[in-house]
Amino acid sequence: MISTTHPVTWVQTCFAEQNTGAEQAWLSLFRKKKLHDFLQKGFPTKRDERWKYIDLSALSKTAFSAASLSEQSQRIKKFISERKLQNDNTIIFINGHCADIHMGQLPLGLIVCSLQQALLKDDMQIKSYLLTEQDHSFAALNAALLTDGVFIQADKDVVVTKPIYCIYISTEQQAFVACPNNRIVAKENSQLKLIEEYVSIDTESYFNNVHTTIHAEANASVEYYKIQNEALSANHIAHVTIYQQKQSQVKTYFFSNGATLEREDVSVIQLGDHAETRMIGFYKLGRDHQQIDHHVQINHQASHGTSTMLYKGIVDKKSKAIFNGKVWVGQKARKICAHQANHNLMLSDSAEVNAKPELEIYADDVKCAHGVTIGKINEQSLFYLQSRGIPKTQALKIVMNAFFSDMLNHIADDPIKHYIASQVNYDEPV
Amino acid sequence: MANNYIKQLVNKQYEYGFVTAIESDTFAPGLSEDVIRRLSHIKNEPEFLLNWRLRAYRHWLTLEPPAWAHIQYPKIDYQSMIYYAAPKVKTDGPKSLDDIDPALLETYKKLGIPLHEQGRLAGVAVDAVFDSVSVATTFKSKLAEAGVLFCSFSEAVKLHPELIETYLGSVVPYKDNFFAALNSAVFSDGSFVYIPKGVRCPMELSTYFRINAANTGQFERTLIIADDHSYVSYLEGCTAPMRDENQLHAAVVELVAHDHAQIKYSTVQNWYPGDEEGRGGIFNFVTKRGACRGVHSKISWTQIETGSAITWKYPSVILQGDDSVGEFYSVALTNHRQQADTGTKMIHIGKNTRSTIISKGISAGFGQNTYRGLVRILPTATHARNYTQCDSLLIGETCGAHTFPYIETKNASAQLEHEACTSKIGEDQLFYCRQRGLSEENAVSMIVNGFCKKVLNELPMEFAVEAQKLLEVSLEGSVG
Amino acid sequence: MLVIRDLQAFIRDEKQEAKQILCGVHLTVKPGEVHAIMGPNGSGKSTLSNVLAGHEGYQITQGDVHFEGKDLLTLSPEERAAAGLFLAFQYPVEIPGVNNMYFLRTALNSIRHHKNLPPLDAMDFLSLVKSKMKEVGMDEKFLSRAVNEGFSGGEKKRNEVLQMLMLEPKLAILDETDSGLDIDALQAVAKGVNTLRNGTRSFIVVTHYQRLLTYIVPDVVHVMVKGKIIQSGGKELAEALEAKGYGWLENEAEV
């Protein structure tokens, strides 16, 4: 697709800033190539079908500079200690750079390190992983300006019961761009739970361009939680790609709670038979000009796969929510059962919701269903609560709580459930 | 797989594939301003129309054919096509059936559309369009008594130029899309209907389109205006001969409903679909749109799409008037190598506007069936409501069913619901029917009809029976 | 009427692995008899019903079934129906958009066609179906509904019995028709069966509970465990089962 956005000059400046010459030759070459790719493509525009509803102009207007690692100040330490998720396994990123890895007792066969550490070890796996990046402009940008990321691998039969919590803090530095790249591998029969949370402390406009790739091998089980809890100064673009082998189980949870601009592209590809996928998402938009865009796709390439997609959102003020869900079933896939649902509560007349639930099916032995609803809070139920003496604002909270907690009930891990419940302000006063 | 029935049914040939040997006036292939001027001149058109055509043509030259639809076809060479073909007549236009070539009358008789008024469709007035021109319109005088104008588009240009000038392009502007621009430049004929204030049209109106000549494109234009408090039900049918090359049909239909008016537009589209290998068949690239201009107006589209190699059409409704209603009921069946990308647009502008979309896609063989729809609620459309249901039924392992609904809301008081499901004919359902003694053949046809029922119910009686038969015939030869 | 010898069948499960369900069933039903087949969940009772009706999901590996001397296993489901075999489904199937009355009339006339009888015209059919509906306590409004669509559990089962009354089979198999029924519906089902009992017509009543058998008194009771009939007896066997549970027989079978 041809893009009309003017080549973004800040990208070149950032690239130059970052290019210290210290890295391996192949990486340097590769990043250069990706910079070239990006400059050719530019940012997508509204003429791109996949980007038609979201306004990305802020990304080319602001001159972002390369993210630099800042001190882990007392404030940050205090901030982290106050997080309610008590956890031994915490990895801290500051402005995209890995600042600290606290890990409790690591089970044998579990690797946890930063991407840069993995690169230093000259890990062939990481090399081939980076070299097979996807071909779109944010992937090119991520590779060209690669900051850091996390590399987690659970070997065969390794079961990690406690979630690994990665917190990405954006702070202080003015107008920066960070490009983390995370790689998670769950080998055969292993189990992993991973949380990625994004927060801001005292920030001005910044841009996170995140890439995460997850491999769930045969019979592996992966739970992936993404909590976007950033300030309105944040622009957040993320691509998550998940490959599933036979009998693997993947659950993804997305909670979008802040940022002025957020785009989440999630693609799950079922490559092996009897894979199971559950994709849950919740978004809450409550500020003028906020845009949150979820593009969620499940590709059934193998047989006997099941998938459930449930996304819900509350949209208020002059904000814009976008949901695009796609179920794709290839011709060789048999006995597929896919379900997709999207429900939106609109609280304001100036808000906007754009939903596109797609089914693309090339096989006959399938059962696929989807449903979308968009509407405001049922006046009847509000009235009912009020007639029982509950003030309107509280009644509203109750109804919204019911709408939200339905999502929480899909989370099996109790500590994570409680943590998310405490972090997501679904019922901020309207 | 239990579908022995479907397997064993060999291809029943397309019934309407014959060619009528008839002398016709045709242009040499190719398109230019000169061709448009000649066309306009032959039809004795007023200045405004020629100018409009030329503006459309110049705009068309700047456009690229749309590439977003889920269809694949070879590039069309617009310069190798013939833009005008008309059966030869001695006079300016047929004054009565006696002036019409008997071969033509015979053709329509074969198609089951008698132009003699005492025929089978006795309660239906018919306008017959053969290649590029309207050859006959029945029941004219009876309709005139009620004040209803029903005639060919060319005739309307002569008799009611003021209505044409007011309404032509007011719903589908020539700039709308590639095919609409092409049609606006070269359309040759079509049907025109005007229902005056307060009149309930005394009978069903119908246009029967027939492509006969080889190498020609058919570009007709239909305009229906329902004035305040009026009602009309309009039917459209189409067939074409079997030919190995593809032929283009790029029609435009514009509907205008004023205050409290209702238009019901039904289509049974059975253009030649091409053979099993996908050779030949009609490219049916059609722009249909209705404007609910008045308060409490209603436009309802019903379509049974079983023919054409490729169908690309989105009958839409612009809901401008407060409390207006838009409906879209569709059955699209693709078998063999047929492709359909069809659906609707419901644009809610007025207050309390309501729309309903029921779409049923059936795919068999190598058929690809796509529902593409847009429901847009503008900020002005308070308390707008939409209900959408689009289901797909799959028969065989090589077909595809796709659903691309766009839902855009800018008003919190709107209520939208969208449901869709895709499944194959259930083996459980087949077994249940067969356990009760039904043959597999009856069971499949019963289940398919049940699947389409909500749509078939919307068709006028005469068409419902025909549509049911058509569905059965079109499914024959699908893979088991 | 029905002779089953050493019937063995398997089904392919989700993982395409063969799972043996019937492991050598022997059963003889004479004209006019009512046989009850009882057994714990998963013992193969419903599979037996489906195999007899010709469900293509099961593969038969051994044994034979004769119905009035005909080799039943070579017939298609509709031929078995025409020959007089009726299965009341455990889970009656919904067929959206297909009118219940139209369905029933097509079924009846298909079977009449096989018997070389003239089709029943709309009027005769209507008065017949209305009288039968009264017998099973079904509201006439169900005639205009789609087949089983949106019916409650009890309504579906009544609809099955209505079809049975209309089609007048020689052998009716009731596959757990009593599960999930309240007492009214249960009695209506039993009444439907009892009106059809006439000394020549046979029934196989597949059930998990003894409850139904107090209303439909069986001539023979069989107990099926792990794909085999492990014990047969009179109606007192059903009562013993109710009192002692299946464990008693299962343990015996192990020995």
Side-chain angles (χ1 to χ4, degrees):
Chain A
M1 193 68 49
I2 307 150
S3 167
T4 53
T5 311
H6 211 265
V8 191
T9 47
W10 64 257
V11 174
Q12 275 166 298
T13 323
C14 286
F15 184 81
E17 281 171 36
Q18 262 183 304
N19 213 358
T20 55
E23 65 197 12
Q24 291 102 317
W26 67 265
L27 184 56
S28 180
L29 208 68
F30 173 66
R31 297 210 296 123
K32 208 171 267 172
K33 182 178 165 290
K34 286 292 154 178
L35 173 73
H36 180 75
D37 283 0
F38 173 78
L39 292 175
Q40 289 239 307
K41 291 184 167 81
F43 287 119
T45 68
K46 292 192 166 194
R47 295 175 66 177
D48 263 307
E49 176 65 23
R50 289 179 57 78
W51 299 86
K52 71 182 278 187
Y53 294 113
I54 192 165
D55 180 5
L56 296 176
S57 59
L59 299 183
S60 20
K61 276 186 207 145
T62 317
F64 295 103
S65 58
S68 56
L69 174 62
S70 51
E71 282 288 296
Q72 216 187 124
S73 63
Q74 284 306 314
R75 284 195 56 197
I76 293 177
K77 284 183 180 146
K78 184 161 173 283
F79 179 85
I80 292 167
S81 69
E82 281 168 0
R83 305 308 276 175
K84 284 173 195 148
L85 187 70
Q86 296 303 324
N87 198 299
D88 301 336
N89 306 328
T90 304
I91 305 170
I92 300 162
F93 286 84
I94 299 176
N95 295 357
H97 293 273
C98 182
D100 210 347
I101 300 183
H102 292 287
M103 293 296 284
Q105 198 71 36
L106 279 186
L108 212 63
L110 176 70
I111 303 169
V112 178
C113 67
S114 76
L115 195 77
Q116 292 295 358
Q117 282 170 339
L119 276 171
L120 281 178
K121 283 188 214 149
D122 210 9
D123 191 317
M124 286 310 289
Q125 189 200 130
I126 292 293
K127 182 177 171 182
S128 64
Y129 162 64
L130 284 177
L131 289 176
T132 51
E133 265 297 354
Q134 297 144 311
D135 182 36
H136 57 85
S137 50
F138 288 101
L141 185 67
N142 182 277
L145 303 182
L146 181 65
T147 319
D148 201 347
V150 67
F151 171 54
I152 300 172
Q153 179 173 304
D155 282 347
K156 185 165 181 280
D157 299 326
V158 171
V159 175
V160 189
T161 44
K162 281 206 173 166
I164 298 167
Y165 174 54
C166 304
I167 180 160
Y168 296 78
I169 301 166
S170 296
T171 184
E172 286 167 356
Q173 191 190 347
Q174 280 188 5
F176 67 90
V177 54
C179 294
N181 192 332
N182 305 311
R183 172 167 169 82
I184 291 93
V185 180
K187 298 257 170 154
E188 195 179 336
N189 217 23
S190 64
Q191 283 183 35
L192 267 183
K193 289 176 190 170
L194 176 78
I195 304 170
E196 267 181 37
E197 184 174 16
Y198 293 80
V199 296
S200 347
I201 308 173
D202 287 342
T203 49
E204 289 171 40
S205 169
Y206 67 96
F207 173 22
N208 269 331
N209 175 29
V210 189
H211 273 248
T212 300
T213 309
I214 299 173
H215 287 261
E217 296 188 359
N219 213 34
S221 155
V222 177
E223 286 178 26
Y224 173 80
Y225 298 84
K226 162 97 180 246
I227 308 164
Q228 183 273 103
N229 228 340
E230 295 181 280
L232 279 176
S233 48
N235 296 284
H236 189 110
I237 309 272
H239 286 77
V240 182
T241 312
I242 302 174
Y243 299 95
Q244 284 189 257
Q245 300 297 342
K246 65 174 186 187
Q247 286 165 13
S248 60
Q249 294 169 31
V250 168
K251 293 176 183 159
T252 62
Y253 303 87
F254 284 80
F255 291 88
S256 300
N257 196 36
T260 188
L261 168 74
E262 183 189 12
R263 162 74 173 226
E264 298 285 347
D265 261 279
V266 192
S267 309
V268 179
I269 300 122
Q270 290 191 352
L271 298 166
D273 291 351
H274 296 281
E276 274 179 53
T277 314
R278 172 170 284 214
M279 306 163 94
I280 305 287
F282 178 81
Y283 42 91
K284 151 109 209 296
L285 294 82
R287 303 297 172 91
D288 284 353
H289 309 298
Q290 214 181 347
Q291 307 178 68
I292 294 182
D293 180 343
H294 284 273
H295 267 63
V296 192
Q297 178 163 355
I298 171 88
N299 281 16
H300 288 279
Q301 295 187 358
S303 296
H304 300 278
T306 58
S307 65
T308 327
M309 203 185 274
L310 172 63
Y311 273 67
K312 281 174 125 180
I314 299 174
V315 192
D316 196 2
K317 300 280 167 54
K318 200 175 172 179
S319 66
K320 189 200 277 185
I322 299 145
F323 172 79
N324 182 310
K326 182 169 195 166
V327 175
W328 186 95
V329 180
Q331 205 181 323
K332 296 205 174 95
R334 297 269 172 281
K335 305 268 180 211
I336 298 301
C337 188
H339 197 268
Q340 184 193 54
N342 174 231
H343 302 292
N344 297 279
L345 265 188
M346 269 179 109
L347 300 183
S348 137
D349 266 341
S350 32
E352 185 177 332
V353 174
N354 298 293
K356 191 181 172 201
E358 303 177 48
L359 301 175
E360 194 170 342
I361 292 157
Y362 296 93
D364 83 325
D365 200 355
V366 296
K367 252 191 200 152
C368 297
H370 67 197
V372 169
T373 56
I374 302 174
K376 59 177 180 173
I377 284 185
N378 186 331
E379 295 286 346
Q380 282 292 335
S381 49
L382 271 188
F383 176 72
Y384 183 77
L385 291 168
Q386 284 176 270
S387 74
R388 295 293 176 271
I390 301 165
K392 184 161 184 180
T393 46
Q394 201 184 340
L396 208 57
K397 277 192 175 191
I398 291 174
V399 175
M400 277 156 70
N401 184 19
F403 187 77
F404 172 64
S405 55
D406 174 45
M407 306 300 292
L408 289 177
N409 290 337
H410 291 276
I411 302 176
D413 186 301
D414 271 336
I416 298 179
K417 187 197 287 187
H418 293 135
Y419 179 69
I420 289 173
S422 72
Q423 289 305 307
V424 179
N425 301 317
Y426 60 86
D427 63 349
E428 230 168 46
V430 261
Chain B
M1 190 60 204
N3 290 353
N4 295 327
Y5 152 67
I6 301 171
K7 204 180 276 171
Q8 52 146 295
L9 280 168
V10 255
N11 299 310
K12 177 149 181 183
Q13 292 297 312
Y14 182 70
E15 276 186 83
Y16 310 104
F18 60 89
V19 181
T20 309
I22 193 160
E23 224 186 317
S24 46
D25 282 323
T26 49
F27 282 11
L31 183 55
S32 63
E33 287 206 5
D34 189 47
V35 167
I36 293 167
R37 281 177 206 281
R38 269 173 63 206
L39 176 76
S40 188
H41 179 74
I42 288 181
K43 303 183 84 63
N44 228 336
E45 286 176 355
E47 188 83 16
F48 80 86
L49 195 50
L50 173 63
N51 289 337
W52 193 74
R53 285 176 181 278
L54 290 173
R55 283 201 301 277
Y57 175 68
R58 285 166 200 149
H59 181 70
W60 178 75
L61 289 175
T62 69
L63 300 176
E64 290 286 326
W68 43 261
H70 200 92
I71 52 177
Q72 287 176 335
Y73 61 96
K75 208 169 159 37
I76 298 171
D77 179 3
Y78 293 92
Q79 290 305 335
S80 69
M81 208 182 296
I82 295 167
Y83 288 85
Y84 184 76
K88 263 193 180 141
V89 280
K90 296 164 207 98
T91 52
D92 201 16
K95 293 283 177 289
S96 74
L97 287 177
D98 302 336
D99 290 344
I100 298 174
D101 189 320
L104 265 182
L105 291 178
E106 188 55 32
T107 300
Y108 281 90
K109 208 172 138 195
K110 252 168 135 175
L111 296 171
I113 307 294
L115 298 182
H116 292 284
E117 298 187 356
Q118 61 276 33
R120 179 168 69 94
L121 294 172
V124 183
V126 177
D127 182 27
V129 177
F130 192 85
D131 287 333
S132 298
V133 295
S134 168
V135 290
T137 310
T138 61
F139 290 105
K140 265 185 173 170
S141 54
K142 187 167 177 202
L143 290 168
E145 277 170 36
V148 172
L149 306 178
F150 179 42
C151 60
S152 74
F153 204 95
S154 311
E155 208 176 326
V157 169
K158 289 192 191 93
L159 302 176
H160 314 284
E162 71 296 340
L163 285 173
I164 299 291
E165 197 169 3
T166 311
Y167 288 102
L168 178 69
S170 74
V171 186
V172 181
Y174 64 76
K175 286 190 175 175
D176 193 76
N177 67 66
F178 183 84
F179 297 110
L182 179 61
N183 173 288
S184 304
V186 303
F187 76 89
S188 39
D189 212 336
S191 297
F192 173 81
V193 176
Y194 174 81
I195 316 290
K197 282 190 173 128
V199 171
R200 193 184 165 87
C201 186
M203 59 176 73
E204 308 267 356
L205 304 184
S206 156
T207 298
Y208 203 85
F209 294 102
R210 173 79 182 165
I211 295 181
N212 188 59
N215 257 331
T216 54
Q218 181 149 337
F219 306 94
E220 79 276 351
R221 204 162 173 113
T222 300
L223 176 57
I224 299 176
I225 302 146
D227 217 326
D228 298 353
H229 294 274
S230 67
Y231 169 87
V232 61
S233 167
Y234 181 90
L235 322 171
E236 175 195 74
C238 357
T239 58
M242 290 157 70
R243 292 186 195 283
D244 277 348
E245 73 272 17
N246 298 111
Q247 276 178 284
L248 176 65
H249 172 249
V252 171
V253 175
E254 295 181 280
L255 312 182
V256 179
H258 289 290
D259 289 357
H260 297 272
Q262 279 189 37
I263 302 175
K264 186 173 171 61
Y265 193 105
S266 314
T267 304
V268 173
Q269 184 265 103
N270 187 23
W271 293 117
Y272 176 54
D275 68 11
E276 277 163 83
E277 301 304 319
R279 276 185 302 258
I282 301 294
F283 291 163
N284 190 34
F285 299 160
V286 172
T287 308
K288 291 182 167 178
R289 192 173 306 153
C292 280
R293 296 250 164 96
V295 298
H296 292 279
S297 55
K298 177 176 173 182
I299 288 178
S300 178
W301 297 100
T302 306
Q303 59 174 24
I304 309 296
E305 303 282 324
T306 59
S308 295
I310 300 178
T311 298
W312 177 99
K313 67 183 259 200
Y314 314 90
S316 307
V317 184
I318 300 166
L319 296 148
Q320 282 168 299
D322 290 351
D323 299 288
S324 59
V325 176
E327 293 175 339
F328 174 73
Y329 299 95
S330 169
V331 170
L333 186 149
T334 52
N335 194 2
H336 303 312
R337 304 273 170 180
Q338 279 178 279
Q339 308 173 59
D341 193 306
T342 183
T344 183
K345 290 192 262 187
M346 293 290 173
I347 312 293
H348 291 255
I349 301 169
K351 292 185 183 65
N352 306 319
T353 45
R354 282 171 294 150
S355 60
T356 304
I357 300 171
I358 308 285
S359 164
K360 303 281 181 175
I362 302 163
S363 317
F366 290 90
Q368 294 292 328
N369 208 322
T370 301
Y371 168 80
R372 186 184 303 276
L374 168 68
V375 176
R376 178 179 286 157
I377 313 286
L378 294 175
T380 47
T382 45
H383 300 290
R385 287 213 308 265
N386 165 264
Y387 174 75
T388 300
Q389 187 188 351
C390 47
D391 297 333
S392 309
L393 196 63
L394 297 156
I395 304 172
E397 292 165 3
T398 47
C399 55
H402 319 294
T403 315
F404 301 117
Y406 294 72
I407 305 159
E408 305 174 1
T409 331
K410 295 187 179 177
N411 189 304
S413 63
Q415 293 286 339
L416 292 100
E417 256 184 276
H418 173 103
E419 287 175 38
C421 74
T422 301
S423 56
K424 66 170 183 170
I425 284 193
E427 289 190 24
D428 289 351
Q429 292 175 336
L430 277 180
F431 178 60
Y432 188 73
C433 293
R434 292 174 72 192
Q435 210 301 305
R436 295 297 180 259
L438 270 68
S439 68
E440 203 171 356
E441 175 180 347
N442 279 340
V444 169
S445 116
M446 201 181 246
I447 292 167
V448 168
N449 270 310
F451 176 74
C452 303
K453 185 131 189 185
K454 273 190 179 168
V455 176
L456 295 176
N457 280 348
E458 294 298 318
L459 282 177
M461 238 352 209
E462 293 87 344
F463 264 32
V465 181
E466 196 180 326
Q468 261 183 32
K469 269 193 291 179
L470 205 52
L471 282 173
E472 278 165 29
V473 169
S474 301
L475 259 182
E476 288 180 9
S478 14
V479 200
Chain C
M1 165 94 31
L2 181 75
V3 181
I4 304 175
R5 270 192 312 220
D6 193 26
L7 187 61
Q8 301 190 16
F10 69 88
I11 190 170
R12 290 205 182 276
D13 66 6
E14 291 273 286
K15 292 169 189 162
Q16 294 302 307
E17 281 160 19
K19 202 176 152 199
Q20 188 82 19
I21 303 193
L22 298 183
C23 313
V25 175
H26 295 270
L27 178 68
T28 302
V29 179
K30 297 200 180 81
E33 285 182 347
V34 176
H35 286 237
I37 299 181
M38 302 183 71
N41 288 327
S43 57
K45 307 187 299 284
S46 285
T47 299
L48 180 63
S49 315
N50 278 308
V51 165
L52 291 178
H55 196 291
E56 286 162 8
Y58 299 92
Q59 310 245 343
I60 291 154
T61 48
Q62 201 169 318
D64 52 60
V65 180
H66 284 89
F67 180 60
E68 294 197 307
K70 279 182 289 240
D71 182 358
L72 193 70
L73 300 181
T74 59
L75 302 180
S76 69
E78 58 268 35
E79 285 165 338
R80 298 181 199 204
L85 187 144
F86 179 90
L87 172 64
F89 283 62
Q90 183 180 4
Y91 303 109
V93 179
E94 300 191 1
I95 311 177
V98 174
N99 178 282
N100 206 17
M101 178 163 66
Y102 175 64
F103 172 73
L104 194 48
R105 197 171 145 219
T106 313
L108 181 63
N109 283 335
S110 301
I111 288 176
R112 288 177 67 93
H113 178 76
H114 273 276
K115 292 182 184 164
N116 288 323
L117 292 170
L120 220 53
D121 72 32
M123 288 314 290
D124 290 345
F125 174 82
L126 198 64
S127 58
L128 182 65
V129 75
K130 280 185 176 169
S131 73
K132 301 285 183 194
M133 286 184 97
K134 234 174 240 153
E135 286 182 35
V136 287
M138 261 176 101
D139 196 306
E140 283 177 17
K141 72 178 186 223
F142 286 101
L143 281 179
S144 51
R145 300 256 302 261
V147 180
N148 292 325
E149 197 186 31
F151 287 25
S152 72
E155 285 157 3
K156 281 184 183 167
K157 295 294 171 73
R158 282 178 206 251
N159 201 27
E160 293 292 288
V161 174
L162 171 69
Q163 292 175 11
M164 180 177 75
L165 293 179
M166 292 293 293
L167 302 180
E168 300 185 319
K170 290 177 184 157
L171 170 67
I173 305 166
L174 282 70
D175 186 6
E176 304 212 11
T177 304
D178 54 335
S179 59
L181 285 194
D182 61 40
I183 198 74
D184 280 353
L186 190 73
Q187 283 174 341
V189 168
K191 192 180 153 207
V193 172
N194 290 330
T195 34
L196 279 184
R197 282 179 88 159
N198 65 356
T200 55
R201 188 171 282 130
S202 311
F203 292 86
I204 298 176
V205 182
V206 173
T207 180
H208 189 71
Y209 306 105
Q210 191 264 339
R211 191 176 60 156
L212 178 66
L213 302 181
T214 54
Y215 298 101
I216 306 171
V217 181
D219 300 305
V220 190
V221 175
H222 306 276
V223 180
M224 196 161 174
V225 174
K226 293 179 184 155
K228 272 187 174 166
I229 288 174
I230 56 161
Q231 185 136 3
S232 302
K235 62 176 189 235
E236 59 296 338
L237 179 58
E239 286 152 16
L241 278 174
E242 184 79 356
K244 299 189 193 172
Y246 290 109
W248 152 62
L249 279 174
E250 278 178 68
N251 293 338
E252 254 175 44
E254 306 269 311
V255 183

